[in-house]
Amino acid sequence: MARIIVVTSGKGGVGKTTTSASFASGLALRGHRTAVIDFDVGLRNLDLIMGCERRVVYDFVNVIHGEATLNQALIKDKHNDNLSVLAASQTRDKEALTKEGVEKVLHDLGGMGFEYIVCDSPAGIETGALMAMHFADEALVVTNPEVSSVRDSDRILGMLASKTKRAIEGKEPIKEHLLITRYNPNRVDAGHMLSLEDIQDILRIPLIGVIPESESVLQASNQGSPAVHLKGTDVSEAYLDVVSRFVGEDRPLRFVDPEKAGFLKRLFGRKG
Amino acid sequence: MTVALAGRTPATFEIKSANLPLVALLLKSSDLQLLEQELQGRFGDAPDFFDNDPLVIDLAPAGEGEIDFGTLVRLLKRHRVMPVAVKGGTPGQMEAAVQAGLACAQDAALNPTFHPGGLSQREREEAREEQPHVPPVVQAPPVHSCALVIDKPLRSGQQVYARGRDVVVLAMVNAGAEVIADGHIHVYAPLRGKAIAGARGNAQARILTLCLEPELVSIAGVYRTSEHPLPDTLRGKPAQVRLEGEKLVMLPLNP
């Protein structure tokens, strides 16, 4: 059976779709057959980030309504054959998702030999987000180092522990992972952002990684290529670390210490 | 108070009079669909708000319309209350309620004063003799119920209500979460959300925590929000909160 991972946060704009794309790509790069599903029906974005928007003919909702088969709707990733994308519908709303429909799609994907299914959750705590998390085995909770994002992640953690299939049926709880994105150690140092320790003290779930704030993320999304493919950048390295930790390897945390001001910088003061 | 029966005492049972703490539902409309919507709106987020509490339905405000008691009972049971009796309805309504298996409590008072009007003459006398100070019917909480224990974190948006008893929370209570108890609140972890002790007016209730940094603490309706920051001697420290007169007193816990 495929392992189902939901990428969720409560708050919008924290990097769920960026994370879904890079995390799923990272799993595929390691040779795992992976599917990534956009649950943001009505506001689809994942296909843009993955750079496959021109190849979307059938989508998730078509499959749920029996208007297309999974094979017709799955789009092979241009970077890696192990990865397939199931796009959201832009013309429907979240009510088009039914529990039975979602369950069938997830089950069929497992039957097709996918090892991992990554569910990119929409923001909010309504139907779309509930559907994305309902069947999950694990959750990546994406959090920015600011109070409102942490509060929303806390809310989502409460829902993961009470509203999902595993919670309702009293099975082993969903395995929760904290992923902190847009982390800027210099701004943490200056007291403008919550620190890693502050966030962990509030949420108290295991940390799977820290993605540094970076210009490359914007660049990647505009190019339609997941940030993990920007070889050599901090963001790409950080996402590869996350994937390694997810499959059980030990990796030290990187990109969490403030940059030491160089000699010239110390001499002339910092810019910005 | 044992009712003496003629002849020998049976071994298998004994008849005694008893008082039941009840909640009352004042039914203000016979439109059950609307009732369902409003119940859902009020208690849908807190499915554990009631704990199969016995309930009397007061039909007086409902008007004279016909009421489908079968549906009403099922609806109330879904919200974890156990309708046992009706009062104050028209003869037709009362008859329909009896058909649906509810008892008629035509004269039962819903206030704390005890009116033994529904009892037989003999029972009434005994009640007067032996139980002159009947405890308030509605407000009496079960005395010996054990504290509610919560061992998972309470996160933003979650709420726990320990009805008629204390609550012990072994994990953190985060900002945006609420712990409510009719008795004491113990939090053996950081208390960052709202803590409402003595929710039904018990001024003796206290709040105890290993790390006091709440959004709000309230005892018997007297509250304090985080708008007024706690002094450094208390903030983030083990502390207790109790009520002295009309004033909340916060003291460090020094074991």
Side-chain angles (χ1 to χ4, degrees), chain A residues 94-107:
Chain A
K94 310 284 193 271
E95 309 307 318
L97 298 175
T98 61
K99 237 178 229 177
E100 296 71 30
V102 172
E103 184 169 29
K104 183 163 189 307
V105 170
L106 295 173
H107 181 264

Side-chain angles (χ1 to χ4, degrees), chain A residues 8-221:
Chain A
T8 184
S9 71
K11 193 169 158 60
V14 296
K16 283 183 297 297
T17 302
T18 300
T19 296
S20 298
S22 283
F23 180 70
S25 299
L27 286 168
L29 283 174
R30 297 183 69 104
H32 298 293
R33 279 202 71 195
T34 306
V36 56
I37 307 178
D38 190 351
F39 274 76
D40 206 347
V41 178
L43 291 168
R44 70 176 222 222
N45 280 163
L46 181 68
D47 50 331
L48 291 170
I49 306 274
M50 299 292 300
C52 64
E53 74 276 11
R54 293 198 195 91
R55 291 191 283 150
V56 177
V57 180
Y58 295 111
D59 57 50
F60 191 23
V61 172
N62 291 138
V63 179
I64 286 180
H65 290 182
E67 296 150 4
T69 65
L70 253 182
N71 271 319
Q72 287 175 305
L74 283 172
I75 303 165
K76 271 238 153 64
D77 181 45
K78 59 187 175 186
H79 294 279
N80 195 310
D81 277 352
N82 290 321
L83 180 61
S84 294
V85 182
L86 189 52
S89 176
Q90 183 69 1
T91 52
R92 309 293 185 91
D93 59 33
K94 310 284 193 271
E95 309 307 318
L97 298 175
T98 61
K99 237 178 229 177
E100 296 71 30
V102 172
E103 184 169 29
K104 183 163 189 307
V105 170
L106 295 173
H107 181 264
D108 292 352
L109 284 170
M112 291 166 75
F114 285 99
E115 293 166 73
Y116 292 107
I117 302 170
V118 177
C119 302
D120 181 23
S121 171
I125 52 173
E126 286 83 28
T127 316
L130 286 173
M131 288 293 170
M133 71 169 69
H134 191 78
F135 298 99
D137 301 305
E138 307 200 29
L140 293 187
V141 179
V142 182
T143 307
N144 286 171
E146 46 139 341
V147 179
S148 59
S149 173
V150 173
R151 173 81 61 95
D152 292 358
S153 292
D154 195 45
R155 180 90 162 96
I156 283 291
L157 283 165
M159 295 174 77
L160 284 170
S162 62
K163 305 244 157 133
T164 51
K165 183 161 183 270
R166 278 175 178 269
I168 293 164
E169 292 178 359
K171 290 194 182 143
E172 194 188 324
I174 291 179
K175 197 168 170 193
E176 299 154 343
H177 308 275
L178 175 62
L179 179 66
I180 299 173
T181 54
R182 297 195 163 173
Y183 196 70
N184 184 333
N186 291 317
R187 295 189 64 189
V188 171
D189 225 29
H192 300 157
M193 273 186 179
L194 290 179
S195 74
L196 218 56
E197 292 74 26
D198 292 340
I199 300 171
Q200 277 182 288
D201 183 48
I202 297 171
L203 297 179
R204 300 196 179 185
I205 60 169
L207 181 70
I208 197 168
V210 176
I211 311 297
E213 188 173 47
S214 164
E215 306 266 311
S216 353
V217 172
L218 185 65
Q219 187 196 333
S221 79

Side-chain angles (χ1 to χ4, degrees), chain B residues 200-222:
Chain B
R200 281 194 284 182
N202 183 356
Q204 303 301 311
R206 297 186 187 195
I207 297 167
L208 303 115
T209 176
L210 293 184
C211 179
L212 186 72
E213 39 191 3
E215 289 178 314
L216 176 145
V217 284
S218 162
I219 294 174
V222 182

